[in-house]
Amino acid sequence: FNDGPHRYEKDRGYAFEHRLVENLGAFAHRRLSDYAAPEAAGALPMMVLSPTIATDGRQLFIAAQPVSYLCRPLRFNEAFTTEPPGVEFRRLFAAHGADSLRFTSALRMNATFPTILPFVELPTAPRVDVMDAGVADNFGVQAAARFLFHFQAWIRQNTAGVVLLQIRDTEQEQPIRSAERRTIAGRLASMLGGTYNSFAESRDYFNDDLLLYVRSWLGPAFEALEFQYIPKRRFEEASLSFHLTRREKEDIIASIHRPENQRTLKRLKELLADGRE
């Protein structure tokens, strides 16, 4: 298919983008540049997407606004400077029509779960593959903390405070699954699955530490809240799939009524009311 002067092969990513527009009734023909003016005027919230660069694990920051500050390393002295944590998409491809990127393509890059969707290949030398943002920052806490760090002085002077709201597809504190499988295949599956789950949970611990640091910058004016998907029955959560059964859909919707999420909703309403006052 053709997109302006460029020609691409159709694949699962192409199908995903078209079905996304079809199912949601949004984003049709929208480019990254279409959101620049509304965001700058405050008519739309600023959106920052941060897919992971597969070759080195850095984040690729995609936004309609300039966000080079999210990539800025910290120079301690002449002998030590931290590595840049990411790359700004619009600056990297400034001479190659970065602003004309389809917004659905930006969303797809952010959601390219390995094996489910094909890696997105960027026209660089050497070639860069981009994959799911969750590999580096599953809930956006690192990008949000970096943003708050750079604007902390302005936030203290011009706002009533900050609420960081996470919407999780998993529980914050997941129960430990039984490890009673004794077959070789069962042990192998348990080892691989346990390794993946341990990695995901270790990111939660790292994110919690980051939130403590942000609280030290902004003080009591900073609040963190989360909505989390908690299945009705333990170990019967909705599958990681583009097709959900009726039971899985109902289970996800019903999760908002869990006591944990109702407490979050109550506190969020209180904070928003305080901010208006």
Side-chain angles (χ1 to χ4, degrees):
F1 74 99
N2 295 321
D3 184 21
H6 306 291
R7 186 169 180 81
Y8 303 95
E9 293 183 359
K10 293 182 179 180
D11 59 9
R12 284 171 291 152
Y14 174 89
F16 171 80
E17 290 187 37
H18 276 255
R19 192 54 69 92
L20 188 69
V21 171
E22 180 181 315
N23 289 345
L24 297 182
F27 310 127
H29 311 299
R30 294 295 184 185
R31 307 284 175 167
L32 193 62
S33 58
D34 292 331
Y35 296 92
E39 286 184 7
L44 288 176
M46 178 180 171
M47 174 70 74
V48 179
L49 304 173
S50 57
T52 305
I53 298 175
T55 46
D56 65 6
R58 299 180 200 269
Q59 292 173 283
L60 182 69
F61 293 109
I62 305 174
Q65 307 298 322
V67 291
S68 60
Y69 51 84
L70 294 178
C71 311
R72 188 181 304 161
L74 179 61
R75 181 181 175 85
F76 282 85
N77 50 57
E78 294 183 357
F80 180 72
T81 301
T82 62
E83 290 285 337
V87 179
E88 183 182 10
F89 177 84
R90 289 178 67 244
R91 180 167 294 202
L92 179 63
F93 295 105
H96 301 280
D99 286 335
S100 66
L101 176 73
R102 292 189 183 198
F103 195 70
T104 51
S105 295
L107 291 174
R108 172 163 66 96
M109 279 193 266
N110 213 57
T112 301
F113 194 89
T115 72
I116 304 299
L117 288 173
F119 280 9
V120 177
E121 301 174 2
L122 299 182
T124 58
R127 190 187 77 189
V128 166
D129 292 335
V130 175
M131 59 190 296
D132 193 84
V135 175
D137 187 9
N138 203 23
F139 299 108
V141 173
Q142 295 175 46
R146 201 171 289 122
F147 181 94
L148 294 174
F149 176 78
H150 285 286
F151 292 104
Q152 56 183 297
W154 186 93
I155 289 170
R156 283 193 292 265
Q157 295 172 9
N158 296 279
T159 75
V162 173
V163 178
L164 189 146
L165 177 63
Q166 298 182 67
I167 302 177
R168 301 175 55 99
D169 61 339
T170 56
E171 294 182 67
Q172 173 67 280
E173 297 183 16
Q174 298 187 49
I176 298 175
R177 295 177 181 268
S178 173
E180 296 179 355
R181 288 170 290 197
R182 291 289 179 260
T183 65
I184 294 177
R187 290 177 180 177
L188 180 60
S190 178
M191 179 182 67
L192 295 176
T195 300
Y196 178 83
N197 290 332
S198 295
F199 174 78
E201 291 177 14
S202 71
R203 304 304 297 178
D204 277 344
Y205 303 143
F206 177 74
N207 287 342
D208 288 347
D209 284 341
L210 273 181
L211 296 181
L212 290 175
Y213 300 149
V214 176
R215 186 62 178 263
S216 71
W217 307 333
L218 299 176
F222 174 74
E223 290 264 3
L225 295 171
E226 63 183 8
F227 288 113
Q228 48 188 322
Y229 166 48
I230 305 174
K232 184 177 181 180
R233 295 187 180 90
R234 290 295 187 189
F235 311 123
E236 293 186 14
E237 61 271 12
S239 58
L240 183 63
S241 169
F242 287 143
H243 175 76
L244 299 178
T245 65
R246 180 176 179 179
R247 182 198 68 79
E248 290 173 330
K249 293 177 182 178
E250 292 174 348
D251 195 42
I252 293 171
I253 294 172
S255 188
I256 190 63
H257 300 294
R258 298 279 302 203
E260 299 89 340
N261 290 327
Q262 285 298 301
R263 287 195 294 268
T264 294
L265 184 60
K266 179 176 181 293
R267 182 55 180 157
L268 181 60
K269 289 180 177 179
E270 294 171 352
L271 291 169
L272 293 177
D274 290 342
R276 286 195 296 268
E277 294 174 0

